[in-house]
C-alpha cells in the first residue's frame, strides 16, 4: 500500500513504487502523483550519480596532467648542474621555488583554493622557467586585495599561463605575460574577473575558432590541459561562469574569465 511504499522509500529504496489500489478517484490520483514523484526522484538520483562520476573522471585527468616527471627531472638536473658549476645561490633559489611549486601541486588537486595561492603558484612556475631560460619573457601579476581570497579550482589560471610561457620560449623576441584579477559588480552579485594575456602571436586561427565555439581542441595529446580545464570549468560553474578567448589587435592571446565570487 501507499504507507508501506513510503516507509521503503524513506529507507532509500526508490524502486518501491506503490501499486494502485481501488478506492475513490481522489485516492487514485494521489497514487498516480506519488508514482510520478518517485520516478522523478530516481531520475535525479541517476543524474547526480553521473555528475559525480564525471567529476571523478575530470579529477583523475587533472592529476594525470599535473604528474609530469620530465618537468621535475629537468628541474632536478638543472639544480645539479648549478651545484656542479658552483652556482650555489642559484641552486638554493631553484630548490626553494621548485619545492613550493611541487607542494602546491600535490596539496591542491580537487579542493578550491584562494586566487592568491593560484597566482603565487603561477609565479613560481614562471620563475623556474626564467632561471632555466633567462630573458625569454617578462611577466606581470596583479591581484586586487578585495578578491585575494576568492575561491577557484586549482590550475584554472596556471594552464593558460603555462600555455603562454611555452609559446614564449619558441619566439625570438621577448614577450610580456600578464595576469590580473579584479572584482566586478553585477546585478546577480559580486563576480571575479581573471584576465590572462600575452604579447605573442596569439592563438592559431583554427584553435581560436574551436575555443570560441566551445569545442574540444585536444588532438593527439596537444592542448589536453586546456581541454580538461574547460571541462572542469563547466562542471564547477555551469552557466554562471563565462570564459572568452580572443587575439588582441596588437598581437597576443587573451583569456577573459568571469566567475561568481565566493571566498575560500
Amino acid at each position: 500500500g501507499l504507507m508501506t511504499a513510503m516507509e521503503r522509500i524513506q529507507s532509500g529504496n526508490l524502486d518501491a513504487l506503490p501499486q494502485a489500489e481501488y478506492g475513490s478517484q481522489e485516492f487514485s490520483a494521489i497514487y498516480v502523483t506519488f508514482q510520478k514523484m518517485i520516478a522523478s526522484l530516481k531520475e535525479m538520483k541517476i543524474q547526480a550519480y553521473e555528475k559525480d562520476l564525471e567529476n571523478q573522471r575530470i579529477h583523475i585527468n587533472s592529476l594525470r596532467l599535473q604528474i609530469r616527471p620530465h618537468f621535475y627531472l629537468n628541474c632536478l638536473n638543472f639544480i645539479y648542474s648549478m651545484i656542479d658549476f658552483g652556482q650555489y645561490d642559484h641552486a638554493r633559489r631553484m630548490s626553494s621555488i621548485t619545492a613550493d611549486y611541487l607542494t602546491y601541486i600535490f596539496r591542491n588537486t580537487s579542493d578550491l583554493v584562494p586566487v592568491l595561492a593560484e597566482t603565487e603558484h603561477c609565479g613560481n612556475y614562471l620563475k623556474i622557467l626564467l632561471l632555466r631560460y633567462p630573458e625569454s619573457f617578462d611577466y606581470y601579476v596583479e591581484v586586487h586585495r578585495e578578491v585575494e581570497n576568492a575561491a577557484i579550482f586549482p590550475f584554472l589560471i596556471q594552464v593558460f599561463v603555462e600555455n603562454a610561457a611555452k609559446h614564449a620560449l619558441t619566439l625570438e623576441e621577448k614577450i610580456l605575460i600578464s595576469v590580473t584579477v579584479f572584482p566586478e559588480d553585477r546585478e546577480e552579485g559580486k563576480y571575479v574577473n581573471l584576465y590572462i594575456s600575452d604579447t605573442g602571436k596569439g592563438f592559431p586561427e583554427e584553435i581560436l575558432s574551436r575555443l570560441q565555439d566551445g569545442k574540444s581542441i585536444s588532438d593527439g595529446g596537444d592542448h589536453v590541459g586546456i581541454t580538461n580545464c574547460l571541462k572542469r570549468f563547466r562542471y564547477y560553474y555551469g552557466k554562471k561562469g563565462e570564459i572568452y578567448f580572443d587575439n588582441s589587435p596588437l598581437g597576443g592571446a587573451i583569456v577573459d574569465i568571469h566567475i561568481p565570487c565566493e571566498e575560500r
Side-chain angles (χ1 to χ4, degrees), residues 33 91 149 205 209 254:
T33 301
N149 292 316
E205 285 303 319
S209 177
I254 295 172

Side-chain angles (χ1 to χ4, degrees), residues 12-198:
N13 182 11
L14 293 183
D15 291 321
L17 288 173
Q19 299 299 316
E21 296 179 351
Y22 293 104
S24 68
Q25 187 174 357
E26 290 82 359
F27 227 47
S28 297
I30 291 174
Y31 269 97
V32 171
T33 301
F34 193 75
Q35 287 177 323
K36 289 181 179 179
M37 288 174 60
I38 300 307
S40 296
L41 283 172
K42 287 180 69 175
E43 180 66 22
M44 290 171 62
K45 186 176 180 181
I46 291 171
Q47 290 176 356
Y49 177 71
E50 290 176 345
K51 185 175 182 181
D52 186 58
L53 285 179
E54 175 68 6
N55 181 39
Q56 293 299 320
R57 187 178 65 80
I58 291 172
H59 172 52
I60 290 170
N61 286 341
S62 178
L63 284 175
R64 188 180 296 123
L65 285 170
Q66 295 308 317
I67 300 173
R68 296 171 299 173
H70 289 298
F71 180 78
Y72 311 141
L73 288 175
N74 286 339
C75 289
L76 294 176
N77 287 333
F78 191 62
I79 292 169
Y80 178 82
S81 297
M82 287 176 173
I83 295 172
D84 203 35
F85 283 101
Q87 299 174 328
Y88 302 117
D89 287 342
H90 278 72
R92 189 178 299 110
R93 187 160 180 258
M94 182 71 164
S95 298
S96 176
I97 295 170
T98 302
D100 290 341
Y101 179 85
L102 294 177
T103 298
Y104 182 86
I105 283 178
F106 291 116
R107 281 185 181 174
N108 300 299
T109 53
S110 60
D111 292 337
L112 296 178
V113 298
V115 162
L116 196 59
E118 172 77 0
T119 54
E120 287 177 351
H121 171 67
C122 293
N124 285 332
Y125 172 77
L126 295 174
K127 289 173 186 175
I128 289 171
L129 286 188
L130 285 175
L131 283 170
R132 293 180 60 193
Y133 309 101
E135 301 299 318
S136 55
F137 59 84
D138 290 322
Y139 73 91
Y140 172 78
V141 178
E142 181 180 0
V143 181
H144 193 283
R145 290 186 62 182
E146 192 176 327
V147 289
E148 286 181 350
N149 292 316
I152 61 173
F153 63 80
F155 318 118
L156 171 57
I157 301 175
Q158 159 76 15
V159 69
F160 298 111
V161 167
E162 187 170 326
N163 186 67
K166 287 180 178 179
H167 175 61
L169 298 181
T170 67
L171 303 175
E172 293 183 2
E173 69 275 13
K174 182 191 290 189
I175 71 169
L176 174 66
I177 299 171
S178 175
V179 177
T180 59
V181 185
F182 282 87
E184 60 176 345
D185 294 321
R186 296 189 173 194
E187 289 184 3
E188 56 268 42
K190 185 177 176 182
Y191 267 61
V192 183
N193 179 210
L194 316 169
Y195 195 86
I196 304 107
S197 64
D198 64 67

